[in-house]
Amino acid sequence: MTMIVVAIMSILLVNRLTRQDEENQQLELLLALPLGRLAPSFSAIVVLFLANGLLALVTTIGLTILGIDSIDFIGSLSYSSALFASGIFFGAITLLTAQLSNNQRGSMMLSYLVLGVSYMVRAVGDAGDLWLSYLSPLGLLQETQAYVANYFWPQIVIVVISFFIIGLSMRLREKRDLGSGLLPDKRGKKSASSFLKTTPGFILTLQKVPLISWFVAMLLIGLSYGSVLGDLDAFLSENEVIQQIIGSTEDYSLTEQFIAIILKVMAIISTIPTLMVFHKLKSEEVKGRLDHLFARPLSRLRIYTWYSVISVLTSIVLLTIAVVSLAGAGVYVLDTGVDFMTIVEANIVYLPAIWVVLGVMGAIYGLLGKFDGLTWLYLLFCFVLIYLGDLLEFPDWLMRVSPFYWIPELPMDNFTVWPLMSLTGIGLGLLVIGGIGFMRRDIRQN
């Protein structure tokens, strides 16, 4: 699952530094200077290596200093190097797809297609013919066997393949014209569809590729978590640190308690695309594109409301996809008496907490038009409280700062309606405050 997250990070990073900058005509300005034709692509690869290298370094050091007997330095290094290799490979794939497609949406979709196929090939190989897993970079990197055999040859093979892909991408970049792609373009429609002419249709079209990408990502994350639930009891019973993180109790199995933590983490992850959808309103304002909308008979309230509604719907859809895939895979391998609907209900209750975080971004952006990036820090803070709060023994008053703290941890806690209603009201109230501020303040004051 972690390799998938690192792969997604690298895909987004390389796509942003290559095809997206090219589509926004920023590379055209740079290449007007005395720069080599391949300089932007080479710089993107350097950033890719630095980002994944830093991630591997921090992960190795962080796991080692935990001081757990079974988590030694060599094992942590092999684990981190597998993450590094995964990021480099899919970053290289994205550099290649950036040459094939003439737009960032197509490039990103091709990269996610490779990631999805890699996951499915690995899954089929693990379930049957093991040799088939070797055809997938994810399956090959699993042969690292971190903390057991600590092999390093899979990472070396993947990195070498990545260099070949990077070399091919550079060669293709030399041949194609700026702003074009090597794959033939499909013919566009002569006229816009009826849905595109509506406000929600226009907003969704602008974010179609990111939303599809997150749909695939949440599906894979849910399947990844769910597929390992059947082996957790044996692993968790021997790991005191993990038991401290999940706050073990004798009334429920370790697997059930671990599921409660995983559901919180998945709720945090689902909050990211929710905020990204709403943040698109800010980016459209900064780029001056809102002026084109407001030049037409469209009110500020209508634009703000639709962005808020689509953000809320995004949280519902993506969280549902994630938990349904987790529950589906988990019930198939799980033998703890937890049924499908119990897991689904235990995750859906986190929606009001997501809406509170969305409301924080809406209020800050609507009132000030800036500093809404602080919401990302708040979300990171909530994640730290959820994942490390019990281990680090944070005070209770600090834990209450996170809206996720107030959500009942089903099935261990009793279901109560009032915190869900209260959080929903707070989230809605913050969005209303942001809407009022958005209607009154000046546009593009950043």
Side-chain angles (χ1 to χ4, degrees), residues 38 41-42 44-50 52 81 84-96 137 154-172:
L38 300 180
S41 298
F42 180 78
I45 293 302
V46 171
V47 174
L48 173 70
F49 271 83
L50 290 176
N52 284 279
S81 61
F84 173 82
S86 174
I88 297 302
F89 178 83
F90 286 100
I93 289 293
T94 307
L95 183 64
L96 177 61
Q155 299 94 305
I156 296 175
V157 171
I158 292 298
V159 171
V160 170
I161 295 175
S162 300
F163 273 110
F164 277 107
I165 296 174
I166 292 172
L168 174 61
S169 303
M170 293 294 190
R171 181 61 178 167
L172 295 176

Side-chain angles (χ1 to χ4, degrees), residues 298-317:
L298 293 174
S299 66
R300 293 190 184 189
L301 178 61
R302 182 176 179 179
I303 297 296
Y304 179 92
T305 300
W306 273 115
Y307 268 98
S308 301
V309 170
I310 292 175
S311 299
V312 171
L313 293 177
T314 298
S315 66
I316 297 174
V317 172

Side-chain angles (χ1 to χ4, degrees), residues 376-397:
W376 297 107
L377 295 178
Y378 178 57
L379 181 62
L380 177 62
F381 176 69
C382 292
F383 173 77
V384 173
L385 291 181
I386 286 175
Y387 210 68
L388 299 176
D390 292 333
L391 179 63
L392 300 179
E393 298 181 351
F394 288 148
D396 191 60
W397 65 266

Side-chain angles (χ1 to χ4, degrees), residues 54-201:
L54 180 61
L55 175 64
L57 177 63
V58 172
T59 303
T60 302
I61 296 175
L63 291 174
T64 303
I65 64 177
L66 288 176
I68 302 175
D69 293 337
S70 59
I71 303 182
D72 56 3
F73 173 77
I74 298 299
S76 300
L77 182 61
S78 65
Y79 172 77
S80 301
S81 61
L83 300 182
F84 173 82
S86 174
I88 297 302
F89 178 83
F90 286 100
I93 289 293
T94 307
L95 183 64
L96 177 61
T97 61
Q99 316 312 318
L100 301 178
S101 176
N102 69 343
N103 60 80
Q104 59 169 326
R105 294 180 179 181
S107 173
M108 191 178 298
M109 288 304 298
L110 289 174
S111 299
Y112 280 118
L113 177 62
V114 175
L115 177 59
V117 171
S118 300
Y119 179 86
M120 296 306 298
V121 171
R122 181 212 59 81
V124 173
D126 289 353
D129 297 325
L130 185 60
W131 66 268
L132 193 60
S133 295
Y134 293 153
L135 300 179
S136 165
L138 299 178
L140 187 60
L141 288 174
Q142 280 192 161
E143 294 305 309
T144 298
Q145 298 182 28
Y147 303 110
V148 181
N150 294 324
Y151 296 127
F152 286 90
W153 65 264
Q155 299 94 305
I156 296 175
V157 171
I158 292 298
V159 171
V160 170
I161 295 175
S162 300
F163 273 110
F164 277 107
I165 296 174
I166 292 172
L168 174 61
S169 303
M170 293 294 190
R171 181 61 178 167
L172 295 176
R173 175 65 189 91
E174 283 184 322
K175 292 185 175 182
R176 71 174 180 86
D177 293 331
L178 189 68
S180 66
L182 297 176
L183 293 178
D185 297 334
K186 66 178 182 179
R187 299 182 61 181
K189 298 180 179 179
K190 294 182 179 180
S191 59
S193 64
S194 300
F195 180 66
L196 179 58
K197 294 178 181 178
T198 64
T199 303

Side-chain angles (χ1 to χ4, degrees), residues 421-433:
M421 296 180 61
S422 300
L423 291 174
T424 301
I426 293 173
L428 179 60
L430 290 172
L431 285 174
V432 170
I433 292 174

